[in-house]
Amino acid sequence: MVVETVFIQTIDGVEIEADIIRTDAVTPRAVVIIGHPHPLYGGDRFNHVVRAMQEVALAHDCHSIAVDFRGVNNS
């Protein structure tokens, strides 16, 4: 599983950090967008539930992207 970290610029110019995992399937089934639990309770894109969801998406031939909310980590 290869995790690619990227920055996505919002319409108002804020950069949001995200992790993308791409399937090797010729025709991906879907793209799964994952938000993390609330940051006040330890939520970020590194949360074990978020990573587990990305692993399941990959197992089902789906691309996935997990984003950090504004103000979390480097976002």
Side-chain angles (χ1 to χ4, degrees):
M1 177 171 72
V2 177
V3 178
E4 177 185 358
T5 301
V6 298
F7 285 90
I8 302 167
Q9 190 169 20
T10 64
I11 196 166
D12 58 349
V14 176
E15 287 194 340
I16 302 295
E17 193 171 16
D19 286 340
I20 298 174
I21 298 176
R22 301 173 198 266
T23 179
D24 290 333
V26 175
T27 306
R29 296 176 68 178
V31 175
V32 179
I33 301 170
I34 303 167
H36 59 74
H38 198 284
L40 291 179
Y41 303 105
D44 62 14
R45 72 182 195 284
F46 303 112
N47 181 279
H48 66 279
V49 174
V50 172
R51 191 61 72 203
M53 292 173 68
Q54 285 191 291
E55 290 173 2
V56 169
L58 182 63
H60 287 89
D61 293 330
C62 298
H63 297 311
S64 65
I65 182 168
V67 298
D68 271 338
F69 299 154
R70 289 180 184 201
V72 177
N73 294 322
N74 293 321
S75 291

